[in-house]
Amino acid sequence: MSDFWSNYWKQGHLNSFGDSANDNYRGVIETSWTQFFADYSNEKDTIVDIGTGNGALIDIAVNGATGSSCQFIGVDYAALNIRPELHKNNVQFLEKTNAESLPLEDSSIAAVISQFGIEYTNFNKSIPEIARVLKPKGRVNFVIHYSNSSIVKPNRDIFLALQLVKGDKGLLGLLKDLVEAINTQGKQSALAERVRATLNERLSNISNKNGLVGTNFPAFLRAILNPSLTHDKKLMMFGMYESEMNNQFERLDDLLQASKTDEEVSSLCDLLEASGIPAKSSFVTENGEILGVNIEGTKGG
Ligand SMILES: C[S@@+](CC[C@H](N)C(=O)[O-])C[C@H]1O[C@@H](n2cnc3c(N)ncnc32)[C@H](O)[C@@H]1O
């Protein structure tokens, strides 16, 4: 299994698709989780967060407005990098652990939650597993990626643009050829001029400009053509950009496969019901934009 999520969490991010300027989810996502956690003040209750990442939801619960004192278990198959403020007696993380096989007792859990996590799992295994560990009247509360959301749509554009950047025959390959031509034959050489012209033409033909900006290629191109950089420094920068780009490509590929259409949301609700957890879905919206789909249910109805 690829390690792109582990690489992402290793960098210290607290969440995956939130407001990066504010570090964690804000707005309607933070408010609705804060309301949900307000129902759980009993220290004997345990809440499990599936696909927890670096614990964004648990952070809202224990360090946010409610300061919930129930027990939290964050589950994720990636290796994590949990911040000190989440090292608490009532918080535990099970990293490298699959949602499809939870190391938890039957009927032991008060609620299973997930923010942009459960949709990455194999529902045919993870949903029965969740039904097994939930207590009678235990609740599920998921926010999942929706294929037409304001989060997924721009990331789809970035994913498509990355396909134009990647590989020897992509924009990055051309930029490497240009840097090589400048190094060996000089900035104004015929070879450098030819490669530069091809690169500029390819760039001007790209209609998906927002997606391209999201790949960071335009900013990288400006940085790498700075004449004061040594050739070795440029090679190092290519390595760093390529590695980040490959990770981004895999994360977005995973996101696009995980995000659900209306039909898939409805099948998920059917599967929950068949597993003894009748559930309903609704859109999570903010400023008229769909951020995702909320699915709420209770074991035994
Ligand atoms: C988009 S991230 C969400 C992380 C976090 N909930 C957040 O909102 O920031 C999805 C996470 O699900 C995890 N994941 C994917 N499939 C999984 C599985 N089968 N079992 C457990 N975790 C899984 C990934 O490792 C990743 O950390």
Side-chain angles (χ1 to χ4, degrees):
M1 183 181 297
S2 168
D3 251 359
F4 53 93
W5 279 114
S6 302
N7 283 331
Y8 179 78
W9 300 122
K10 194 167 67 186
Q11 293 164 31
H13 301 287
L14 184 55
N15 71 4
S16 53
F17 293 100
D19 181 342
S20 55
N22 282 314
D23 208 23
N24 202 347
Y25 296 107
R26 296 287 176 249
V28 66
I29 292 183
E30 182 185 30
T31 309
S32 57
W33 282 115
T34 301
Q35 279 164 5
F36 179 81
F37 294 132
D39 292 346
Y40 293 89
S41 53
N42 187 337
E43 289 173 19
K44 292 194 178 131
D45 279 342
T46 301
I47 297 183
V48 172
D49 179 21
I50 301 288
T52 190
N54 274 348
L57 285 193
I58 299 180
D59 184 63
I60 292 174
V62 299
N63 294 322
T66 36
S68 179
S69 55
C70 75
Q71 309 302 308
F72 287 90
I73 302 177
V75 172
D76 202 294
Y77 75 24
L80 307 177
N81 179 12
I82 301 299
R83 296 180 179 185
E85 58 266 32
L86 279 170
H87 294 171
K88 294 190 182 254
N89 289 339
N90 62 330
V91 176
Q92 187 190 354
F93 285 94
L94 303 176
E95 50 186 334
K96 299 182 183 163
T97 302
N98 281 306
E100 292 82 354
S101 170
L102 294 169
L104 301 169
E105 304 269 305
D106 292 2
S107 306
S108 58
I109 302 299
V112 177
I113 61 173
S114 186
Q115 172 77 43
F116 301 147
I118 190 71
E119 65 274 44
Y120 290 82
T121 70
N122 175 350
F123 289 154
N124 288 325
K125 293 187 175 160
S126 59
I127 299 301
E129 191 59 350
I130 287 167
R132 177 185 71 75
V133 303
L134 269 183
K135 289 178 176 173
K137 297 289 167 201
R139 288 157 73 190
V140 296
N141 194 353
F142 307 144
V143 177
I144 69 173
H145 281 301
Y146 179 58
S147 55
N148 228 2
S149 74
S150 60
I151 294 175
V152 173
K153 279 191 291 186
N155 278 302
R156 187 178 290 119
D157 287 343
I158 297 173
F159 182 76
L160 293 173
L162 277 172
Q163 290 172 338
L164 304 175
V165 173
K166 268 168 79 72
D168 288 346
K169 297 206 161 55
L171 296 170
L172 192 65
L174 269 177
L175 184 57
K176 275 186 187 160
D177 290 348
L178 175 60
V179 166
E180 200 53 44
I182 292 173
N183 185 45
T184 55
Q185 309 207 12
K187 196 174 164 196
Q188 312 295 349
S189 64
L191 179 63
E193 289 297 346
R194 220 170 33 245
V195 183
R196 193 180 287 113
T198 312
L199 181 58
N200 285 339
E201 193 192 339
R202 292 264 288 274
L203 280 168
S204 63
N205 284 339
I206 292 175
S207 54
N208 175 13
K209 298 279 187 240
N210 287 342
L212 188 66
V213 168
T215 68
N216 281 331
F217 182 79
F220 176 69
L221 180 143
R222 281 193 297 278
I224 205 95
L225 292 179
N226 177 346
S228 66
L229 295 175
T230 64
H231 191 62
D232 281 351
K233 172 83 180 164
K234 290 182 182 179
L235 294 183
M236 199 187 80
M237 286 166 65
F238 268 115
M240 284 166 55
Y241 177 74
E242 214 160 359
S243 149
E244 177 46 37
M245 185 189 66
N246 286 334
N247 270 320
Q248 187 186 27
F249 185 83
E250 289 191 89
R251 268 190 296 117
L252 296 188
D253 192 14
D254 209 23
L255 163 71
L256 296 178
Q257 288 181 49
S259 64
K260 302 298 177 223
T261 60
D262 293 308
E263 295 72 34
E264 288 166 328
V265 169
S266 143
S267 310
L268 173 57
C269 289
D270 290 348
L271 182 58
L272 280 160
E273 173 135 31
S275 307
I277 311 172
K280 58 179 176 39
S281 68
S282 57
F283 285 123
V284 180
T285 58
E286 191 157 61
N287 304 324
E289 305 260 23
I290 297 176
L291 299 181
V293 176
N294 179 221
I295 295 176
E296 286 187 277
T298 304
K299 184 171 172 178

